[in-house]
Amino acid sequence: MPPLSMDMYLPALPEVTDALHSPAATVQLTLTACLLGMALGQLVVGPMSDKWGRRRPLLTGMVIYVIATAVCALAPTAGLLIGFRLVQGLAGAAGIVIARAMVRDLYDGVAMARFFSTLMLVSGVAPVVAPLIGGQVMRVTDWRGVFVVLTVIGVLLTLVVWRRLDETLPPGRRHAGGLGEALRTMGSLLSDRVFTGYMLAGGFAFAALFAYISASPFVVQDIYGASPQTFSLLFGVNSVGLVLVGQINGKLLIGRVSLDKALAVGLAVITLASVALLLMASGVFGEAGLAPIAAGLFVLMSAMGLAMPNTNAQALMRSRDAAGSASALLGTSTFLLGAVASPLVGIAGEHTAVPMAVVQLVCALAAVGCFVGLCRPWQRADEESAPAGTVSRP
């Protein structure tokens, strides 16, 4: 849902500005509103799915998503578009948080980590495909056509969920309480040092990735003079690297190497790549061209295939009986940290890649600090050697 809702719309931004007679800064709020909705919506939908099961909140969210997207296609003003983009994000959050919770319902231990690596296929390919679809839609229609296509996709996904996706949370494992119990459950999760460590480690790693996504068009095209086609090619290659490493993690490493060791390698590579990018961007090795910068970004993004699925799996293994609330905290923290990192990459102007590299390095070091200081994997070696199917925390 996030790449479809966010990235498909990117090629249409200039036309929206002209069509609605609004300044670019106002139109940019349509992206911010959707991102904010997806971040905050998870905090609502996650606990709801722990109380009522997964299917009902997911179907409700998908129906609201379809309606809000259709209204966006008809929006006559920027204000109305911003408002319903917020609703679209809030409803679309159901797909994000409940998908992760359902994985926790169905899998445990190594099997869960392996399935999260499989999901990296979607996570890696969708951000590349979505802008391409949006660009092709813009060739035959206007910006409203993008939302029409999103509406059709939403209807199809809703039908698939309704017909093919079974309930994964049996009544006996649901929570009967309301908002108060949901808040207590989230408080209990956040008081778990290890869960919080994995949540923050994954969130900061994603923030480093989001810094790349936000800054790379400017860095690759404006600073290093690449064409839009070259930028698209490099972005696609980096996404392929993320997918391939994610599959190596799921098919080869998991079951042979502990999740914490694979995660440690991923975080170490991200940190080293960030250091290399900072040294090259600051001119320590002389004038760096596009090729070494692109290589550093490729290594950084590929290593996310080790970091993201393993942080999700390790965190969710701490919360079998509150997977919806745990998934909500994981998703919200990830989105919010990414949203904070995004504007920082341009803080020193438009003529250097140093801010991007600095933000990436700070985020990488924060992720390592949370992993080492809070997760303390060396103290939990016995948990890693436990048979698959056991639960580390009821």
Side-chain angles (χ1 to χ4, degrees):
M1 299 306 295
L4 286 178
S5 301
M6 301 288 290
D7 298 347
M8 259 186 72
Y9 175 64
L10 293 178
L13 283 178
E15 185 175 311
V16 175
T17 301
D18 295 335
L20 298 182
H21 308 290
S22 298
T26 300
V27 174
Q28 286 285 348
L29 289 176
T30 63
L31 291 174
T32 304
C34 188
L35 181 63
L36 181 64
M38 287 186 174
L40 299 180
Q42 295 183 63
L43 291 176
V44 177
V45 179
M48 285 173 56
S49 72
D50 284 338
K51 180 178 181 180
W52 292 316
R54 311 301 184 203
R55 271 179 56 87
R56 197 190 315 177
L58 179 56
L59 284 170
T60 301
M62 291 302 299
V63 170
I64 297 174
Y65 176 89
V66 168
I67 295 172
T69 306
V71 174
C72 287
L74 303 173
T77 65
L80 189 62
L81 181 60
I82 291 170
F84 276 90
R85 284 286 279 173
L86 177 64
V87 176
Q88 184 192 42
L90 289 168
I96 307 169
V97 66
I98 293 179
R100 197 161 39 223
M102 294 180 99
V103 172
R104 182 65 187 96
D105 294 338
L106 297 171
Y107 300 99
D108 201 355
V110 167
M112 179 169 57
R114 185 172 289 121
F115 195 87
F116 274 124
S117 293
T118 301
L119 292 184
M120 292 299 293
L121 282 170
V122 178
S123 301
V125 172
V128 179
V129 174
L132 296 177
I133 296 175
Q136 293 305 308
V137 170
M138 293 293 294
R139 291 170 65 92
V140 297
T141 183
D142 60 7
W143 66 273
R144 298 183 188 275
V146 174
F147 288 107
V148 173
V149 172
L150 278 174
T151 302
V152 173
I153 293 173
V155 170
L156 293 176
L157 285 173
T158 304
L159 291 175
V160 169
V161 170
W162 177 49
R163 296 292 301 273
R164 304 284 306 201
L165 193 61
D166 295 329
E167 178 61 63
T168 60
L169 186 67
R173 287 176 48 201
R174 297 177 189 176
H175 292 190
L179 177 61
E181 182 174 342
L183 293 175
R184 285 191 294 273
T185 299
M186 288 187 177
S188 176
L189 289 168
L190 291 175
S191 67
D192 178 359
R193 170 179 53 79
V194 178
F195 172 87
T196 302
Y198 285 119
M199 178 187 75
L200 292 176
F204 279 116
F206 181 82
L209 173 62
F210 212 79
Y212 155 76
I213 294 173
S214 302
S216 58
F218 153 73
V219 169
V220 173
Q221 296 180 80
D222 292 352
I223 296 179
Y224 293 98
S227 66
Q229 292 74 26
T230 300
F231 165 71
S232 299
L233 176 62
L234 292 176
F235 197 93
V237 169
N238 290 343
S239 296
V240 170
L242 185 150
V243 169
L244 288 178
V245 173
Q247 296 313 294
I248 291 172
N249 178 69
K251 306 297 184 184
L252 299 179
L253 297 182
I254 293 177
R256 296 178 176 88
V257 178
S258 73
L259 301 185
D260 279 324
K261 287 181 180 179
L263 173 56
V265 170
L267 293 178
V269 172
I270 292 170
T271 303
L272 291 174
S274 300
V275 171
L277 285 167
L278 179 57
L279 293 176
M280 289 187 289
S282 57
V284 172
F285 302 123
E287 188 69 25
L290 177 60
I293 294 292
L297 291 172
F298 174 81
V299 172
L300 184 145
M301 190 164 179
S302 297
M304 295 294 172
L306 291 175
M308 300 307 298
N310 291 325
T311 51
N312 283 334
Q314 290 285 60
L316 286 173
M317 275 195 282
R318 311 285 298 182
S319 54
R320 180 175 180 83
D321 292 333
S325 296
S327 179
L329 290 172
L330 288 172
T332 300
S333 63
T334 296
F335 273 74
L336 291 180
L337 286 171
V340 170
S342 179
L344 297 179
V345 296
I347 199 169
E350 302 179 355
H351 305 290
T352 174
V354 170
M356 177 191 73
V358 168
V359 171
Q360 289 172 331
L361 180 57
V362 170
C363 291
L365 291 174
V368 172
C370 292
F371 177 61
V372 174
L374 296 177
C375 301
R376 302 174 191 173
W378 61 88
Q379 294 180 352
R380 299 167 28 254
D382 291 340
E383 292 181 14
E384 287 292 341
S385 61
T390 60
V391 180
S392 59
R393 181 185 178 192

